[in-house]
Amino acid sequence: MRLTTFTDYGLRMLMRMAAEPGRAFSTAALAEEFGLKRNHLAKIMQRLAQAGFVATRRGSGGGAVLARPAREIRLGALVAALEQGQPLVECFAAGGDCPIDGRCRLKARLRRAEAAFLADLDRSTLADIALTAASTLR
């Protein structure tokens, strides 16, 4: 399995946020810490907010915080939300074209492997992988 950089950075952001659960993180601060463009990070944060993993607040003292405790956030659910729209193989995509569809024995096995991958990740929570407050991400 190969995860997109979108998911990689999303997981890193959440690990960082879980290290200081009471702190609101601005996308600008996280972008600087990770050495990323703010716009890229904002897209990831938007997806995490839409999926209910983070809550965002505007204004002074605003930023993003975990929407629920890190021990309640399963890694498989996170990866599934972040990888949404990124099929494992082309034939999984809506309208994916495959000349051997209907005769292919690989597709079902790949779906089972993907489900097993996410199920295994779901055995762990964000709290299990949270960084310590003193950790750096670079």
Side-chain angles (χ1 to χ4, degrees), residues 7 29 38 43 61 81 83:
T7 298
R38 186 172 178 246
K43 290 175 187 175
E83 287 288 309

Side-chain angles (χ1 to χ4, degrees), residues 3 8 21 25 36 51 54 57 61 65 68-69 71 75-76 80 92 96 99-100 110 112 117 121 131 133 135:
L3 300 178
D8 180 24
F25 289 85
L36 296 174
V54 298
R57 300 183 293 226
V65 296
R68 55 188 184 269
R71 69 182 178 281
L75 296 183
F92 285 8
I100 60 172
L110 289 175
R112 284 194 306 270
F117 175 71
L121 285 175
L131 299 174
S135 296

Side-chain angles (χ1 to χ4, degrees), residues 53 71-78 121-126:
F53 294 111
R71 69 182 178 281
E72 296 177 11
I73 299 175
R74 297 271 161 204
L75 296 183
L78 277 175
L121 285 175
D122 266 341
R123 292 186 201 153
S124 300
T125 68
L126 181 58

